[in-house]
Amino acid sequence: MTSTAQAPQSGAGTAHPDHLGHVIFIAAAAAMGGFLFGYDSSVINGAVEAIRSRYDIGSAALAQVIAVALIGCAIGAATAGRIADRIGRIRCMQIAAVLFTVSAVGSALPFALWDLAFWRIVGGFAIGMASVIGPAYIAEVAPPAYRGRLGSFQQAAIVVGIAVSQLVNWGLLNAAGGDQRGRLMGLEAWQVMLGVMVVPAALYGLLSFAIPESPRFLLSVGRRERAREILAEVEGTGVDLDARVAEIEHAMMSEHKSTFKDLLGGSFFFKPIVWVGIGLSVFQQFVGINVAFYYSSTLWQSVGVDPTDSFLYSFTTSIINIVGTVIAMIFVDRIGRKPLALIGSVGMVVGLALEAWAFSHHLVDGKLPATQGWVALIAAHVFVLFFALSWGVVVWVFLGEMFPNRIRAAALGVAASAQWIANWAITASFPSLADWNLSATYVIYTVFAALSIPFVLRFVKETKGKALEEMG
């Protein structure tokens, strides 16, 4: 490309906003979608046994009700980008907020099992939209010098949402006398747990009216003056705004819209780099991490832990998840993605293997022996810690960086879809596997954690410190 075709240099890369606090507020408001993502993903944990009891269903049917939301997630994630390009990022957030709200009310007041499942799908669709729109919006609005730190708000919001849902569930269960089906505000406790999501959903919707549209979207629909105003607001008046607008327009014109066809090639249908992305996504889920958030209270109750205590253990696991995520954010740019993934894999193998050993012992009076009980509890926290400080964050960093520019969008879509499918497979299979043999189930997760080590060593290339243009 000749120098005459290049966009003017605006100085945005080193510019600082005049009001950083306002920019942080904008990113935090957009990340509320991540909070709802985490909250909705985990809140069902408090209702699992009550749903089983109320509708008198077996483990296989129960698993489908829990996992069906992931179908909505996949659809929402697949369509969010196109919707956002047509009507804007903010409108997309508002649609997700409405769907979250409707899903919360419907899930709290179901007529039968089928409509509970339907409302779970609606909520899943909103989760899928939020999982795509939040990071995309933050990346488009954040000043380049702060993009990495502000982009981390999404993942931080997800783990905080998980923790808050566990804490709220624990509080509501205590208020209902430790019974998921105990009466609370005229409803059963589990219904209130699902209905409480109306509060953060409404807050997400209200906050969306307080933040600006993405300058990138505004330029795509010809609203240049409004785009300039927002760029001045978020990147500072020290930036050459005309050059900045030209820079974004130039980048948009030179972009290649990747398609599924671009991913084909090689001896196994997809290009090798696409398979690596799919592998990272699948391993991230096949270690069984979502069992810790969808079924943890059920798991502890199955080995004799009091229901109220089981919710407290679930909450402490969520706190560990937050701690691990913060550790990952601190070290992912310091020691690299690949070493962090390997450290996490080793730690997960140890934690999962110890859980498998503990659960292999026979229950005494409906409980694990004291030694095995403590080992299971500590090992569960070790597993979540090592997952959070590695694969929980690193996989998303890898997927955003590892693909060549010409196929990045399409490849990321395929890898994300593989992640939702793998998530569904683990979530739908766990109750039946646990009924069959809980210890053997954890042996399976241990094997996948162990296999992730040679996979990373052999196929995954370090992306730390490389420009996106160097990938592939």
Side-chain angles (χ1 to χ4, degrees), residues 22 25-26 89-90 93 137 141 207-215 218 226 229-231 233-234:
H22 179 59
F25 169 77
I26 291 171
R89 283 56 166 155
I90 299 298
M93 290 181 198
Y137 173 85
V141 173
L207 286 171
S208 71
F209 287 99
I211 58 178
E213 182 54 88
S214 157
L218 292 171
R226 179 59 181 150
E229 291 173 12
I230 294 168
L231 285 168
E233 186 181 325
V234 299

Side-chain angles (χ1 to χ4, degrees), residues 133-159:
I133 295 306
Y137 173 85
I138 293 171
E140 290 176 359
V141 173
Y146 294 88
R147 185 173 295 136
R149 281 162 286 183
L150 294 175
S152 69
F153 279 25
Q154 177 79 1
Q155 180 64 21
I158 291 171
V159 296

Side-chain angles (χ1 to χ4, degrees), residues 64-152:
Q64 294 308 317
V65 174
I66 306 305
V68 74
L70 299 171
I71 296 172
C73 290
I75 299 170
T79 58
R82 190 164 298 178
I83 294 171
D85 284 341
R86 288 194 175 186
I87 65 174
R89 283 56 166 155
I90 299 298
R91 288 282 179 268
C92 205
M93 290 181 198
Q94 289 164 354
I95 290 171
V98 170
L99 292 176
F100 270 124
T101 304
V102 171
S103 168
V105 175
S107 298
L109 304 170
F111 300 107
L113 192 63
W114 68 266
D115 79 302
L116 175 60
F118 172 76
W119 296 120
R120 294 274 301 149
I121 294 175
V122 171
F125 187 90
I127 288 176
M129 291 182 74
S131 71
V132 171
I133 295 306
Y137 173 85
I138 293 171
E140 290 176 359
V141 173
Y146 294 88
R147 185 173 295 136
R149 281 162 286 183
L150 294 175
S152 69

Side-chain angles (χ1 to χ4, degrees), residues 174-308:
N174 271 298
D179 182 4
Q180 289 184 18
R181 296 197 62 187
R183 304 302 293 183
L184 207 59
M185 294 185 281
L187 300 171
E188 293 185 4
W190 69 274
Q191 294 176 274
V192 179
M193 291 176 187
L194 299 184
V196 164
M197 202 176 73
V198 166
V199 177
L203 180 60
Y204 181 44
L206 291 172
L207 286 171
S208 71
F209 287 99
I211 58 178
E213 182 54 88
S214 157
R216 189 181 177 93
F217 171 74
L218 292 171
L219 288 173
S220 74
V221 294
R223 297 179 60 189
R224 295 180 94 249
E225 279 308 307
R226 179 59 181 150
R228 285 178 89 260
E229 291 173 12
I230 294 168
L231 285 168
E233 186 181 325
V234 299
E235 295 188 1
T237 51
V239 175
D240 183 338
L241 294 176
D242 290 327
R244 185 71 178 109
V245 167
E247 207 171 68
I248 296 172
E249 289 179 330
H250 177 78
M252 289 168 64
M253 285 188 293
S254 62
E255 279 180 353
H256 167 69
K257 294 288 185 182
S258 56
T259 65
F260 185 78
K261 188 176 180 181
D262 295 325
L263 308 183
L264 306 181
S267 54
F268 295 100
F269 191 69
F270 286 129
K271 295 179 187 295
I273 190 67
V274 180
W275 281 115
V276 175
I278 292 171
L280 284 168
S281 288
V282 169
F283 274 116
Q284 188 199 51
Q285 297 300 317
F286 275 17
V287 296
I289 186 60
N290 279 310
V291 167
F293 300 120
Y294 293 154
Y295 297 113
S296 58
S297 63
T298 298
L299 174 65
W300 294 121
Q301 289 172 53
S302 73
V303 293
V305 175
D306 175 81
T308 304

